[in-house]
Amino acid sequence: MKIKPHLAGYVGGPGLYQMPADVYHADCAPEPSLSSSIARTLLESSPQHAWIAHPRLGCQIKAERDPSRPKEIGTVAHKLILGQGADVVLIDADDYRSAAAKAQRALAYANGHCPILRPDGEKADALADQVAEKLALIPGCEGFNKAPAEVVAVAQDRSGAWLRIMMDRVEIHPTHATIWDVKTGDQSAAPQLLGRRVESMQMEVQAAFYVHVLAILLPHLAGRIRFRWIFVENEFPHALSVAEADGAGMEIGARKMAAAIHVWNRCRASGEWPGYPAQIVRFDYPEWAARRWSEREELDPQLSGVSYDIAQSPFRPLDMESAA
């Protein structure tokens, strides 16, 4: 399947495309479509939140125009690593405290460009260089640099739902495919921490969602599509880890994705996008927190002698013994 250029508006049907990021994020599908980010919003929050965030439904959340400096570093690093993205505007200042720096930043965003401070630009340059150097040393990553970047896939699920993804890079071979996703940030990229990081941000939904959409378009590769993250630290030495979710992670991701598609279809059909339940709820107190307190009761010398028996507690009512 060829990758077709698409500059504006909605695409004519399922396929692989390259397009400006703002066209993709405005929802380029023939009908309002589900993305992995909207799917996560459905699962983490509610259909109402998803409706509000969707560019062709509620459309009540404006695009972020004042992101943090780490996000700006990530955006510029993506541009340097992938060779795709918004034009970069270098601001010759150490921070955004001055009125001039703030004005240059605002103007850059207004023009659809990506501003970055001089020290942050140097950091993004070093980060991109380290990614190139370190990926060259990891077996299985040889195809990353030559793979097409920022490829959009639009597909219609068998349930009727339109789905869309934008892949940082994708390798498509006759017998298999690999989807690459670059994650930069101030978080650690240490391998032993990635499982918790993926689960806390529901990244397994993204992995399963991307694999599913590409498999719809390339059914002969179903079961032979890999999703790989490249986690990179913003701070020197810009350590990185290349990672895949294990079988359990991909299974949970697929189940969450199926749940999101089901809820999406139900809300689209009914036109109702409910928020949180209109009732008093009882939440589950975390088991780990209960265990941690129980352990402290046993081990903390300051809690020695504390009685949790109301009959012995010094906080019992003064008239408790005379109460009938």
Side-chain angles (χ1 to χ4, degrees):
M1 179 176 288
K2 292 184 178 180
I3 301 173
K4 296 174 283 188
H6 181 80
L7 298 179
Y10 306 143
V11 299
L16 296 175
Y17 303 90
Q18 282 189 313
M19 64 183 67
D22 59 348
V23 175
Y24 169 77
H25 291 298
D27 192 355
C28 58
E31 296 179 11
S33 64
L34 182 65
S35 66
S36 68
S37 61
I38 294 295
R40 291 196 296 271
T41 300
L42 277 170
L43 299 172
E44 292 176 351
S45 300
S46 74
Q48 183 181 49
H49 290 81
W51 183 86
I52 289 171
H54 198 282
R56 287 169 64 180
L57 297 177
C59 195
Q60 295 181 24
I61 295 182
K62 296 181 180 179
E64 186 177 35
R65 287 302 182 191
D66 190 25
S68 64
R69 288 176 61 179
K71 286 187 177 180
E72 289 179 346
I73 293 171
T75 300
V76 174
H78 266 73
K79 165 84 172 184
L80 297 173
I81 294 168
L82 303 177
Q84 301 276 355
D87 291 337
V88 176
V89 175
L90 184 64
I91 298 176
D92 190 16
D94 291 328
D95 53 48
Y96 286 120
R97 295 177 184 176
S98 71
K102 291 178 181 177
Q104 291 179 62
R105 189 189 205 193
L107 179 61
Y109 279 124
N111 291 330
H113 301 153
C114 177
I116 192 163
L117 296 166
R118 182 185 62 255
D120 293 347
E122 294 170 355
K123 187 177 292 186
D125 282 332
L127 189 156
D129 289 343
Q130 286 296 306
V131 169
E133 290 180 16
K134 291 173 179 176
L135 282 184
L137 303 175
I138 302 176
C141 298
E142 299 83 2
F144 174 81
N145 286 326
K146 295 181 181 179
E150 293 198 344
V151 177
V152 171
V154 177
Q156 189 170 26
D157 183 76
R158 64 181 181 180
S159 69
W162 282 92
L163 313 174
R164 62 184 163 91
I165 60 175
M166 177 180 273
M167 300 169 281
D168 282 349
R169 287 195 188 274
V170 59
E171 296 179 57
I172 300 176
H173 302 281
T175 59
H176 66 283
T178 302
I179 301 170
W180 297 91
D181 191 72
V182 180
K183 298 289 188 191
T184 61
D186 289 340
Q187 306 99 314
S188 170
Q192 67 271 20
L193 302 178
L194 295 181
R196 181 172 296 182
R197 179 175 171 182
V198 166
E199 188 279 332
S200 67
M201 299 183 69
Q202 296 214 59
M203 293 184 193
E204 73 277 15
V205 178
Q206 178 197 20
F209 197 96
Y210 278 41
V211 168
H212 177 66
V213 172
L214 193 59
I216 294 174
L217 296 178
L218 305 173
H220 63 288
L221 297 182
R224 292 175 290 170
I225 301 174
R226 292 181 176 274
F227 184 97
R228 289 176 177 161
W229 291 280
I230 301 175
F231 293 99
V232 194
E233 297 173 0
N234 279 357
E235 297 301 321
F236 185 82
H238 309 297
L240 65 79
S241 291
V242 179
E244 300 176 354
D246 62 8
M250 291 301 293
E251 170 65 18
I252 293 298
R255 293 171 69 88
K256 289 182 176 182
M257 175 195 68
I261 293 174
H262 175 83
V263 174
W264 169 264
N265 284 336
R266 183 177 66 200
C267 292
R268 286 271 291 149
S270 67
E272 297 179 357
W273 300 82
Y276 298 139
Q279 63 187 55
I280 297 173
V281 298
R282 174 172 291 181
F283 63 84
D284 294 326
Y285 191 74
E287 292 185 8
W288 60 265
R291 287 196 303 270
R292 187 170 66 180
W293 176 252
S294 296
E295 291 172 357
R296 185 179 172 189
E297 286 180 339
E298 295 179 8
L299 302 175
D300 190 342
Q302 297 184 74
L303 300 181
S304 177
V306 173
S307 174
Y308 300 97
D309 181 352
I310 188 65
Q312 304 296 324
S313 172
F315 301 108
R316 69 188 189 280
L318 294 177
D319 59 350
M320 177 180 173
E321 293 179 357
S322 62

